[in-house]
Amino acid sequence: MCLAHKVLNILVEQNMKIARVIGMMATLATLALTLSPTAFAEDAGWYAGFNAGQSRASIDDARITSGLLGQGFTTSSISDDDSHFGFKIFGGYDFNRYFALEGGYFNLGQFGFTAHTVPAGSLRGDIKLQGANIDLLGKLPLGEKFSLFARAGLNYAKAKDSFSGTGAVAVINPSPEKSSANYKFGVGAEYDFTPSFGMRVEAERYRIDDAVGNKGDIDLFSVGLVFRFGRTEPPPVVASAPVAAPVAAPAPPPPPPPPPPPPPKRIKVTFSADSLFDFAKDTVRPAGKQALDAFAAQLKGAQFDVITVTGYTDRIGSQAYNMNLSTRRAEAVKSYLVEIAGIPANKITARGADGSEPVTKPDECPGQKRTAKLIACLQPDRRVDVEVVGTELQAVPTN
C-alpha cells in the first residue's frame, strides 16, 4: 500500500452537510420567486469578472506523524506550505437586484508538506487544485451602490497529487489524480462605481476530494472587478449656467423706468404615464412619442422662459423605488423634447415626485396589495406634468 495514502491529509474535515447547502439554495430561490414582476424587470442583465487573492489550507500534521509512525518512522520535523495565490474567472446573470446565477473557472494554487523522519529520510507531498463551479447568489442592497451577498453552489475540482521520498522513505504511487463534485459557499460585499463597473471582496470555502481518499476545505479570500453589460447612467439634469454680470462704467442718471412687463403666465399640460410608458418602465412608447410631438409642435409658436417636467407614480411600491422611477420618466420626457423638438436644454428641467401627490382621493382606491383592480384605479396618479412659464402662451393647449 502507498505510504502517502496513509499519511497525507491536506485539508481539515468539516461537519457541514450537503443538505444545508441545498437548503440555502432553495431559500434563495424561494425569496427570488416571491419578488414582484416589477422587481424582476429591474437591473437584469449579464456580467463577467475576475477575482484574485490568497487561498489557504489546513494541513493535519498529527495525521502525517501518525501515518509515518505506523510504517516504523519517527517524525523529527514537519514544514507546511499551507497558503498560495488563487484566482477565479466568472460570468453570470442578474435576474434582479436580489438574485443571480453565476459560474466560472477557479484555480486554488498548490499546497504541500515536507516531513523529516528517523531512520533518516523525508516525505514530500503536494496537491494542485483547479476546476469549475456554478452558484446561486442572494444579494442584499444597502443603497444604490453598496450591497452584501451570499453564495451557495457546486464545484467540480481536479486534484493532482505529487509525492516523493528520500532515504528510508519510499513512495509507490507518486502522481495520483482525481476529479470530483462537491459543495461550496461564501459571502462577500460589492461596491458599484457605475452601473457598469464595480468591485468585490469575497471569502469562499471549497469542499475538495484529494487523490488519495481524503476530504477537506480550501478557503479563498479575494478581491475582484465586475463588468456589467448594457447598463447606463440616467441622463444628467442640465442646469442653466450662471451668467456673470458685466462691469459697467459710470453712467449718467438713468431715465425713468419703463412700465413693468406683464407677469408671466403658467400653463400646465398633464400626460397620463400609462399613455407614455409601459407599466414600471421609463422608455417612451410610440403612442407617447406622438403625444409629445403634437405638444412640441404647438409649443413652437409660444414665447416661454422655462419648462418644468415633473414625473409622478402611484403609491404602490417603496418610496425610494417610486422616486427613482418618477425621476427617470421625467428625464425621458425631457430628453425627448430636447432631442426631437429642439427645445434648448437650459430652458427645461426635470424632477421626480414619487407617489406623494396623488390625484385620486384616499377613499377612492382602497387596499395596499398589488392587484389589477388597484393598479387600474390608481391610473390617474401615474402622470407626467409639463408646466410652461412665459408671456405669450396662446398657442399652447391647456389640456
Side-chain angles (χ1 to χ4, degrees), residues 26-37 40 96 99:
T27 301
L28 292 175
T30 302
L31 175 62
L33 292 175
T34 58
L35 296 175
S36 68
F40 265 83
N96 50 56
F99 179 63

Side-chain angles (χ1 to χ4, degrees), residues 47-51 88-92 103 200 224-229:
Y47 65 89
F50 174 85
N51 272 41
K88 65 176 184 175
I89 302 171
F90 58 87
R200 281 184 177 180
L225 300 176
V226 183
F227 303 90
R228 289 183 166 81
F229 307 109

Side-chain angles (χ1 to χ4, degrees), residues 79 227 261 288 331 367:
S79 59
F227 303 90
E331 291 288 354

Side-chain angles (χ1 to χ4, degrees), residues 99-144:
F99 179 63
L101 184 66
E102 184 176 299
Y105 164 81
F106 62 85
N107 189 314
L108 300 178
Q110 176 175 322
F111 311 94
F113 70 90
T114 301
H116 299 281
T117 65
V118 178
S122 65
L123 174 66
R124 173 69 186 179
D126 293 289
I127 184 173
K128 296 180 180 179
L129 296 164
Q130 62 179 334
N133 69 281
I134 184 167
D135 298 342
L136 282 170
L137 270 70
K139 298 183 287 184
L140 176 63
L142 300 177
E144 290 295 326

Side-chain angles (χ1 to χ4, degrees), residues 33-390:
L33 292 175
T34 58
L35 296 175
S36 68
T38 302
F40 265 83
E42 282 193 59
D43 303 304
W46 295 97
Y47 65 89
F50 174 85
N51 272 41
Q54 186 179 70
S55 53
R56 297 179 184 175
S58 297
I59 299 177
D60 195 341
D61 292 344
R63 293 188 65 177
I64 295 172
T65 300
S66 176
L68 285 168
L69 186 62
Q71 298 298 316
F73 296 95
T74 301
T75 304
S76 59
S77 66
I78 299 178
S79 59
D80 295 330
D81 181 8
D82 56 5
S83 64
H84 205 270
F85 172 77
F87 69 91
K88 65 176 184 175
I89 302 171
F90 58 87
Y93 185 81
D94 283 318
F95 295 100
N96 50 56
R97 297 184 66 193
Y98 308 97
F99 179 63
L101 184 66
E102 184 176 299
Y105 164 81
F106 62 85
N107 189 314
L108 300 178
Q110 176 175 322
F111 311 94
F113 70 90
T114 301
H116 299 281
T117 65
V118 178
S122 65
L123 174 66
R124 173 69 186 179
D126 293 289
I127 184 173
K128 296 180 180 179
L129 296 164
Q130 62 179 334
N133 69 281
I134 184 167
D135 298 342
L136 282 170
L137 270 70
K139 298 183 287 184
L140 176 63
L142 300 177
E144 290 295 326
K145 296 180 178 294
F146 184 73
S147 61
L148 303 178
F149 63 87
R151 64 169 70 241
L154 299 174
N155 79 83
Y156 186 77
K158 180 177 182 181
K160 297 180 66 175
D161 289 359
S162 175
F163 301 101
S164 61
T166 65
V169 180
V171 174
I172 298 175
N173 183 8
S175 303
E177 297 184 6
K178 183 178 181 180
S179 297
S180 59
N182 284 286
Y183 62 82
K184 69 179 291 286
F185 59 91
V187 295
E190 181 174 327
Y191 183 84
D192 294 322
F193 299 103
T194 70
S196 302
F197 174 66
M199 181 182 74
R200 281 184 177 180
V201 178
E202 293 193 66
E204 299 174 276
R205 174 157 291 179
Y206 294 77
R207 187 67 165 177
I208 299 295
D209 292 351
D210 67 14
V212 291
N214 296 310
K215 287 182 178 289
D217 297 308
I218 302 292
D219 295 328
L220 177 62
F221 304 93
S222 62
V223 177
L225 300 176
V226 183
F227 303 90
R228 289 183 166 81
F229 307 109
R231 318 293 175 87
T232 58
E233 292 275 10
V237 177
V238 179
S240 56
V243 179
V247 178
K265 297 181 181 179
R266 295 176 178 268
I267 295 178
K268 181 186 293 186
V269 181
T270 298
F271 296 91
S272 167
D274 290 3
S275 68
L276 296 178
F277 308 95
D278 289 327
F279 186 75
K281 300 293 184 180
D282 60 2
T283 301
V284 181
R285 300 171 52 196
K289 293 180 180 179
Q290 293 178 2
L292 293 176
D293 288 342
F295 169 77
Q298 294 174 315
L299 192 63
K300 289 182 179 179
Q303 297 292 328
F304 59 87
D305 299 321
V306 66
I307 298 176
T308 302
V309 181
T310 306
Y312 296 88
T313 65
D314 58 29
R315 68 170 186 265
I316 301 174
S318 68
Q319 181 182 12
Y321 172 78
N322 286 338
M323 178 62 74
N324 184 279
L325 177 61
S326 62
T327 301
R328 297 201 312 268
R329 285 180 166 179
E331 291 288 354
V333 171
K334 172 189 171 180
S335 297
Y336 188 86
L337 293 176
V338 170
E339 296 171 3
I340 304 303
I343 297 174
N346 62 351
K347 285 197 172 186
I348 181 169
T349 60
R351 69 182 187 95
D354 64 65
S356 61
E357 299 180 33
V359 175
T360 60
K361 297 180 180 178
D363 57 348
E364 287 182 350
C365 303
Q368 296 295 329
K369 186 176 181 182
R370 183 194 298 269
T371 63
K373 181 179 179 180
L374 180 59
I375 291 173
C377 183
L378 295 176
Q379 185 273 330
D381 295 344
R382 300 187 295 273
R383 66 196 190 277
V384 176
D385 286 346
V386 182
E387 185 178 65
V388 185
V389 178

